[in-house]
Amino acid sequence: FLNVRVEIFMAVFRKVQDRTFNNIPSGQAVAITLTDRFGSPLANGIYYVVVTTSRGRSIGKLMVVK
């Protein structure tokens, strides 16, 4: 079981979301809502998603289009 931390940043590196999921079995998906820290929906644009576990860190891009 792993603790999974998911951070979402705007393209200008302002953090809009930071969530930690505890005791997730390896390989299981976690669902995140596309909202900022205050509950407002994310605006259209490109965001960076950083996923960190005890096994390492992965960085990807997310494009929001409504």
Side-chain angles (χ1 to χ4, degrees):
F1 291 97
L2 300 170
N3 293 334
V4 179
R5 181 178 183 191
V6 178
E7 299 169 282
I8 300 177
F9 296 87
M10 295 176 66
V12 294
F13 301 110
R14 183 176 72 98
K15 187 184 296 187
V16 295
Q17 191 178 127
D18 188 352
R19 295 200 49 199
T20 301
F21 302 89
N22 295 313
N23 298 320
I24 303 297
S26 183
Q28 180 177 335
V30 295
I32 57 170
T33 56
L34 297 180
T35 58
D36 64 14
R37 292 180 287 182
F38 308 107
S40 298
L42 294 181
N44 290 344
I46 296 176
Y47 296 85
Y48 291 99
V49 180
V50 180
V51 179
T52 307
T53 68
S54 60
R55 295 184 181 174
R57 175 181 291 170
S58 181
I59 301 172
K61 291 182 183 175
L62 168 69
M63 179 184 249
V64 175
V65 179
K66 299 178 190 173

